[in-house]
């Protein structure tokens, strides 16, 4: 009988390889894009094809060109990145697949004239991937949710969890978003099909906004309202909801505008164009809809991106998107003319 050989002879080589020894693999699966002002933006991407599922965050001081080699500085993460928020022009919170929440500061390297993205602190208090993060208006607190069905409110100054809601929902928490100008209230969605409204001041902090037979995958507050938000489903439908009501009566409008599960929704922050809602799904399509006119399509692009669109951000009424195809595009949205 021949000697049995290890079917994966290079397993020990990879297991014992240090980060410096690993062959470089581009983190081309872009997950998020955030533009803080006309000069500052960050872009996050993951490497989903290698043995080591790592990530990269790129910092730009010029938003005219998002090529990776045009980034001012960049930093690697030990696991793939999922979502991020800007706290200030030089401070960002990034969530990772490993359950880590990391604070990055853009600052001058000690003893050097060069600048870098420096880790100002990190904590791993989720039991699985942190899929979503949103910041409160005081910018000292954020809320996170993820695969562990848990919601956590973080104090960024002390980097501690001030509120933790274990099994806040009965399935994966897909999205959280803080109410405009609020320090206590946010909404969450889950694949369990329920959207919840949270107020951490209350002894019973959560109440149901809506329950659907389909999984809910995205939520975003209208920037000019504290009671109107948009919800997305895993069937490609979008609902406009009034949180002052509950159940089916809370739905102001509903339509199915995407062929696949909604991934992200984002209202235009411009008060004069706050009815414009951008969305992307598990596909290449990007749309901007008029929520004041039965979700009629203002803009649609399903040709430029060649893989799943993951990141959306508005800046000066222009929509920027990033995708798993390693591209970033700018979309010029012409305003709706009121007749």
């Amino acid at each position: 009988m021949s000697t049995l050989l290890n079917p994966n002879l290079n397993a020990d080589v990879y297991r014992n390889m240090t980060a410096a020894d690993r062959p470089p693999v581009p983190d081309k699966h872009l997950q998020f894009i955030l533009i803080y002002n006309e000069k500052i933006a960050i872009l996050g991407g993951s490497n989903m094809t290698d043995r080591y599922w790592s990530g990269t965050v790129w910092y730009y001081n010029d938003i005219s060109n998002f090529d990776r080699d045009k980034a001012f500085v960049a930093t690697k993460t030990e696991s793939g990145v999922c979502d991020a928020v800007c706290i200030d022009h030089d401070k960002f919170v990034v969530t990772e697949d490993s359950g880590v929440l990391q604070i990055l500061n853009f600052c001058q390297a000690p003893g050097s004239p060069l600048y870098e993205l420096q880790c100002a602190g990190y904590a791993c208090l989720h039991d699985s991937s942190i899929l979503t993060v949103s910041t409160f208006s005081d910018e000292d607190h954020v809320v996170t949710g993820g695969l562990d069905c848990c919601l956590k409110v973080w104090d960024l100054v002390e980097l501690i969890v001030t509120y933790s809601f274990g099994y806040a929902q009965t399935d994966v928490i897909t999205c959280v978003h803080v109410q405009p100008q609020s320090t206590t209230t946010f909404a969450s969605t889950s694949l369990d099909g329920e959207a919840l409204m949270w107020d951490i001041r209350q002894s019973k902090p959560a109440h149901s906004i809506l329950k659907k037979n389909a999984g809910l995958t995205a939520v975003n507050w209208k920037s000019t309202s504290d009671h109107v938000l948009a919800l997305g489903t895993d069937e490609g439908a979008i609902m406009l909801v009034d949180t002052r009501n509950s159940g089916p009566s809370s739905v102001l409008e509903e339509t199915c505008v995407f062929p696949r599960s909604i991934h992200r929704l984002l209202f235009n922050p411009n008060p004069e164009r706050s009815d414009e809602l951008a969305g992307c799904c598990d596909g290449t399509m990007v749309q901007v809809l008029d929520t004041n006119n039965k979700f009629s399509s203002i803009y649609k692009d399903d040709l430029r991106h060649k893989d799943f669109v993951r990141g959306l951000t508005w800046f000066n009424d222009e929509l920027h998107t990033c995708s798993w195809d390693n591209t970033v595009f700018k979309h010029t949205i012409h305003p709706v003319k009121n007749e």
Side-chain angles (χ1 to χ4, degrees):
M1 180 181 293
S2 61
T3 304
L4 294 177
L5 298 176
N6 187 336
N8 190 355
L9 296 178
N10 61 6
D12 287 336
V13 174
Y14 276 90
R15 186 180 302 113
N16 299 319
M17 188 179 292
T18 66
D21 296 329
R22 298 171 189 168
V25 177
D27 298 331
K28 72 171 189 174
H29 297 88
L30 301 181
Q31 289 286 108
F32 61 79
I33 178 172
L34 298 170
I35 298 178
Y36 184 79
N37 59 26
E38 63 277 356
K39 291 185 177 180
I40 296 172
I42 61 169
L43 184 68
S46 297
N47 161 29
M48 300 182 180
T49 57
D50 193 36
R51 284 175 176 261
Y52 303 97
W53 201 342
S54 59
T56 303
V57 178
W58 295 270
Y59 175 97
Y60 292 84
N61 62 354
D62 179 3
I63 65 172
S64 64
N65 190 336
F66 282 98
D67 287 348
R68 255 47 85 225
D69 57 358
K70 300 296 184 181
F72 189 62
V73 293
T75 187
K76 297 287 289 186
T77 59
E78 294 185 358
S79 56
V81 296
C82 295
D83 200 5
V85 289
C86 293
I87 302 301
D88 205 341
H89 71 282
D90 59 355
K91 185 177 180 181
F92 315 95
V93 174
V94 177
T95 66
E96 301 182 28
D97 285 313
S98 60
V100 164
L101 179 142
Q102 183 174 186
I103 301 175
L104 296 176
N105 280 350
F106 174 72
C107 57
Q108 193 168 0
S112 170
L114 302 178
Y115 284 81
E116 64 181 5
L117 278 176
Q118 187 179 86
C119 177
Y122 71 93
C124 186
L125 298 178
H126 278 272
D127 292 332
S128 191
S129 301
I130 307 177
L131 300 180
T132 176
V133 59
S134 183
T135 180
F136 291 95
S137 62
D138 62 5
E139 297 185 339
D140 286 332
H141 296 81
V142 297
V143 57
T144 57
L147 285 177
D148 58 359
C149 310
C150 183
L151 286 167
K152 295 183 184 293
V153 176
W154 300 72
D155 179 341
L156 298 180
V157 177
E158 301 294 334
L159 197 56
I160 58 173
V161 169
T162 55
Y163 297 91
S164 183
F165 304 105
Y167 290 96
Q169 304 205 220
T170 58
D171 207 330
V172 173
I173 294 173
T174 52
C175 193
V176 294
H177 196 233
V178 172
Q179 187 182 52
Q181 307 306 314
S182 177
T183 59
T184 60
T185 305
F186 62 92
S188 67
T189 56
S190 168
L191 292 182
D192 65 12
E194 191 166 23
L196 297 179
M197 182 93 157
W198 296 80
D199 188 340
I200 57 177
R201 296 170 298 182
Q202 306 299 322
S203 58
K204 294 183 178 180
H207 72 268
S208 179
I209 303 172
L210 185 69
K211 178 72 174 178
K212 298 285 286 186
N213 292 327
L216 298 180
T217 55
V219 60
N220 194 252
W221 289 90
K222 189 174 182 178
S223 57
T224 57
S225 173
D226 62 359
H227 60 268
V228 175
L229 53 77
L231 299 172
T233 78
D234 61 6
E235 295 177 340
I238 298 177
M239 294 165 285
L240 195 66
V241 173
D242 187 334
T243 61
R244 293 173 296 185
N245 303 318
S246 61
S249 63
S250 67
V251 179
L252 303 175
E253 194 72 44
E254 180 175 0
T255 188
C256 191
V257 292
F258 283 94
R260 297 181 181 178
S261 174
I262 304 293
H263 177 70
R264 193 177 293 268
L265 297 171
L266 191 63
F267 278 102
N268 190 335
N270 181 353
E272 297 180 357
R273 297 174 61 174
S274 62
D275 290 323
E276 296 176 352
L277 176 66
C280 62
C281 66
D282 289 345
T284 61
M285 183 184 297
V286 176
Q287 285 202 77
V288 178
L289 308 167
D290 184 0
T291 58
N292 199 35
N293 187 24
K294 299 181 179 180
F295 289 117
S296 61
S297 181
I298 302 171
Y299 175 88
K300 182 178 179 180
D301 183 348
D302 59 358
L303 297 176
R304 287 199 286 175
H305 285 299
K306 306 303 180 185
D307 207 333
F308 285 7
V309 180
R310 301 286 89 176
L312 303 173
T313 190
W314 287 97
F315 186 71
N316 287 345
D317 293 325
E318 292 181 318
L319 182 68
H320 292 73
T321 59
C322 67
S323 165
W324 280 354
D325 63 7
N326 198 29
T327 60
V328 177
F329 289 121
K330 181 172 68 175
H331 310 262
T332 300
I333 316 298
H334 297 291
V336 176
K337 295 181 180 180
N338 296 319
E339 299 182 354

